[in-house]
Every structure is written in C-alpha cells, then in structure tokens.
Amino acid sequence: MGRVTARRRVIRIRDGAVGARPDTLVAEEPMEIRLNGKPLAVTMRTPGDDFALAAGFLVSEGVLAHADELANIVYCAGATEDGSNTYNVVDVRLAPGVPLPDIALERNVYTTSSCGLCGKASLDAVRTTARHPLADGPEPMRLTPEFLATLPGRLREAQRVFDRTGGLHGAALFTADGELLDVREDVGRHNAVDKIIGRALQQGLLPLSGTVLLVSGRASFELAQKAVMAGIPVLAAVSAPSSLAVDLAAETGMTLVGFLRGASMNVYAGAERVVLPAE
C-alpha cells in the first residue's frame, strides 16, 4: 500500500538554532469494517495488514474463532469523487452457517486509536464469549525473569517503522522457547494486537497456546481481552496494567506481567508460570 508513513514540513529547533525540514510521520487513516456487507465499526489505524486487522477485531468480538469460519475479506470501493478506491473499507464475509453476531454487538461507533474496544469492559462478556482455553501447550510454561527481560529489546529491534517515525505501538508474539513468531506495528496498540491475532487466524493457528504476547505500551482491559479470546496464556507489557486487566487475567487464568523494563517487572496474575527467584 505504501501508506505506512507520510512526509510533512516541520520547524525544527535544536539548541537555539531554527530550521525547516521534512519529517517522517506515521500514517493514520480511518478504516470501516463491514460484516457480510453491513457496517460494523470504524477504527483509526496505520494502513497495512488491513485484512488481518479486521479478522483479529472479529476474533476479539467473539465472531470468529477458527480459520474455516472466515469465507473471505475484500476491499470495498471508497467514497472518492473520481471513484478510485481508498482502501479504507473492508468487508468480511463469514462462511456459510457461521452465525452473525447479536445486534447488540454492532456498536457502529468511532473507535479511536487509543481507546480500543470501548464500552465492552465486562468480565462476564469475555467469559461467556471466549471459545479457546488458555492452554500452556504440550508442557507447563515456566518462564524465567531473565527470559522475559529479553523480550522488549527484541520487539524494539523488530520495529522498523518506529525507527523512522517514533510514533508506533508494537506487539510481538513469542513461543515459550523464545522463537519470535510475529511482530506488528500500528498507531493503535489494540490494532497491533488485532493484526497479530488476525494473521494467526488466517493461518489456522488459533488458539495460540503456549505463547507470550508482548505489547509496547500499557496492558489495558481490551488488550487482555484480545489475548484471552485468542487463547494466549501470557500477556506482558512494558508499562502498567489497568485494574480491570488484572481482574480479567486472574479470573481467566492468564499470566499478566507489567512494567517489564530491564531486569525489573511486576507479576500481577498467573505467577505460577513465572520462575520466581528465591528470596
């Protein structure tokens, strides 16, 4: 698509010196998600991986759980005067027999790149719609603090667009053995996670048992919700979690690690998966 970044003129001030120069910014555009032709939601995102973003969004909403439930995803014609495609509208078609969501799910609201799934902060709703268990995989997960401490640096090294703009959130998916499975970037932290989950759905990899999801910002409720819906047993964040994210992790059996910076971290839930140093 070639629209991940944009160039804008800025006035730069450094040590009292003033000059004009072009600056590289992260692109942000709206994307409307339609379900079987009917508008469902609008989100602000960084263009790219749009089909994965839409698929991951529907996993988070409990509409999709397996690859065979998705028929296809296509771009719809955009609303431009010359009739050209804006690539800002996608239509997700469910496979025959897959039920459409209840009308209450169809919020048809503007979702900013910071708020995520606003209005869905209900622990009961996640418990009743989650279709994947939070499984460790063939063997119980036992993660050392030393292992967890390496993950933020590996995510940062893989964020190519961040190096150019400094304005993107990142999400990375690792195995318990440290294999980096996927990295996605977006102006919205929830979009980066949706892109990872959506790609996994398209590849037939859900549930994501035995994996660790790392996010570059805070661990809000919507990110914990997305991890639970995808069957991810461990969520780690470089910043703080919210109280509801901790509650959700505790109730669903997910391990939640926050303030993962260097050798320091806080384990808020699911400490049984973390090998704690002897006192």
Side-chain angles (χ1 to χ4, degrees), residues 77 83 99 103 124-125 180-181 199 205 234 247-248 254:
I103 191 68
D124 290 336
L180 177 58
L181 298 175
R199 283 166 58 89
L205 299 179
V234 180
D247 292 345
L248 179 60
M254 183 174 68

Side-chain angles (χ1 to χ4, degrees), residues 140-263:
M141 295 180 71
R142 298 289 287 163
L143 308 175
T144 66
E146 291 77 14
F147 165 76
L148 292 169
T150 66
L151 302 186
R154 296 181 63 189
L155 169 59
R156 177 66 183 82
E157 291 175 359
Q159 286 189 260
R160 297 181 179 179
V161 181
F162 182 90
D163 287 335
R164 299 165 58 193
T165 65
L168 280 178
H169 289 287
L173 189 69
F174 298 90
T175 67
D177 295 329
E179 179 186 357
L180 177 58
L181 298 175
D182 199 5
V183 174
R184 297 294 111 187
E185 294 178 286
D186 198 278
V187 70
R189 59 175 60 87
H190 62 289
N191 290 338
V193 173
D194 276 342
K195 289 177 178 181
I196 280 185
I197 294 174
R199 283 166 58 89
L201 175 92
Q202 292 172 315
Q203 296 168 1
L205 299 179
L206 293 188
L208 290 169
S209 304
T211 61
V212 179
L213 176 65
L214 174 70
V215 295
S216 62
R218 59 187 175 86
S220 57
F221 171 79
E222 66 266 23
L223 297 191
Q225 175 193 29
K226 292 176 186 299
V228 169
M229 297 298 285
I232 298 172
V234 180
L235 172 63
V238 300
S239 191
S242 68
S243 61
L244 200 60
V246 174
D247 292 345
L248 179 60
E251 293 200 20
T252 58
M254 183 174 68
T255 297
L256 178 59
V257 177
F259 289 109
L260 181 55
R261 301 170 183 174

Side-chain angles (χ1 to χ4, degrees), residues 25-27 30 33 46 56 66 69 72 89 96 107 115 138 142 174 180 188 194-195 204 216 227 243 250 264 274:
L25 307 176
V26 59
I33 300 173
T46 300
H66 302 284
E69 297 174 343
N72 68 339
V89 181
R107 293 166 291 126
C115 78
R142 298 289 287 163
F174 298 90
L180 177 58
D194 276 342
K195 289 177 178 181
S216 62
S243 61
S264 300
V274 181

